[in-house]
Amino acid sequence: MSNYVTAIGLDVHARSISACAFDPMTGEVSRARFGYDPASVAEWALGFESPKAVYESGPTGFHLCRALRALGVDCAVGAVSKMHRPAADRGRKNDRRDAEWLARLL
């Protein structure tokens, strides 16, 4: 059993979820995109070693967090007001980059 986790960042919207998994040991990044289906996200996340997911707090994610926890995925909620983005990243915002940024923060 290893002592690290695979960090999974989730950018959640009403109809879609962009996901990015970051393995800190190898530096490998895996990406996926889902419709709003917690079971699909959980199945993908549980394919990694010691997964832990995080998403930015918002109205669309609280249901997802509860569903992922019920399906066996450790999930945390990140407070947007406490996350500081570099100034260079502010103009290049998209779902894929947001998911990767969250995974690397975790």
Side-chain angles (χ1 to χ4, degrees):
M1 185 75 186
S2 67
N3 58 356
Y4 73 95
V5 300
T6 300
I8 298 175
L10 302 172
D11 191 48
V12 182
H13 297 281
R15 294 189 176 136
S16 68
I17 300 170
S18 293
C20 178
F22 175 68
D23 186 331
M25 294 300 285
T26 64
E28 182 180 354
V29 175
S30 301
R31 293 181 180 89
R33 188 161 174 86
F34 304 95
Y36 195 86
D37 180 20
S40 296
V41 176
E43 181 180 350
W44 179 77
L46 290 172
F48 297 101
E49 186 173 349
S50 303
K52 180 168 176 107
V54 63
Y55 72 92
E56 291 178 323
S57 61
T60 58
F62 290 103
H63 172 263
L64 177 67
C65 185
R66 286 189 294 268
L68 288 176
R69 286 178 181 167
L71 293 168
V73 178
D74 188 10
C75 188
V77 180
V80 177
S81 63
K82 301 294 182 189
M83 297 181 197
H84 298 289
R85 296 189 77 108
D89 287 350
R90 291 193 181 126
R92 304 178 316 181
K93 183 172 176 10
N94 67 30
D95 296 345
R96 183 182 53 82
R97 280 196 184 108
D98 285 350
E100 184 173 343
W101 178 69
L102 287 168
R104 290 184 185 273
L105 277 180
L106 182 62

